[in-house]
Amino acid sequence: ASPNNLANTIVRQAMTLAASGLVIGIIAAWQLSRLISELLYAISTVNAGVFAGVGLLLFGVASIAAILPARRSTRIPPTDALRAD
């Protein structure tokens, strides 16, 4: 595989995992915030802007956390990687 294919595969797998976790987390946070707002008196805790902002921030951090090791893995010669195993 070429270095670009390797990096794309690593980043694609990491972003798929991050996106699914982000969707599950936003749905859970939204449902829990609705529950909390029903339990507390006259307080609204559901704010779509906050959920979107935090989601974008977390997705950005996850993309950086995926891209850096993927770039580093393309610099290692395949023979050295196989020899290490």
Side-chain angles (χ1 to χ4, degrees):
S2 71
N4 286 336
N5 283 345
L6 178 64
N8 287 339
T9 302
I10 292 171
V11 171
R12 186 178 342 107
Q13 288 177 353
M15 290 298 98
T16 302
L17 185 62
S20 62
L22 188 64
V23 168
I24 292 169
I26 286 177
I27 291 171
W30 181 65
Q31 291 296 327
L32 287 173
S33 67
R34 288 184 58 207
L35 175 69
I36 290 172
S37 68
E38 291 174 2
L39 296 175
L40 297 175
Y41 179 72
I43 295 178
S44 175
T45 59
V46 178
N47 190 347
V50 172
F51 286 143
V54 170
L56 286 174
L57 177 70
L58 289 175
F59 196 75
V61 169
S63 65
I64 290 171
I67 291 171
L68 293 178
R71 285 184 55 209
R72 197 173 329 140
S73 70
T74 59
R75 295 184 191 143
I76 299 172
T79 54
D80 290 346
L82 289 173
R83 191 175 304 134
D85 286 338

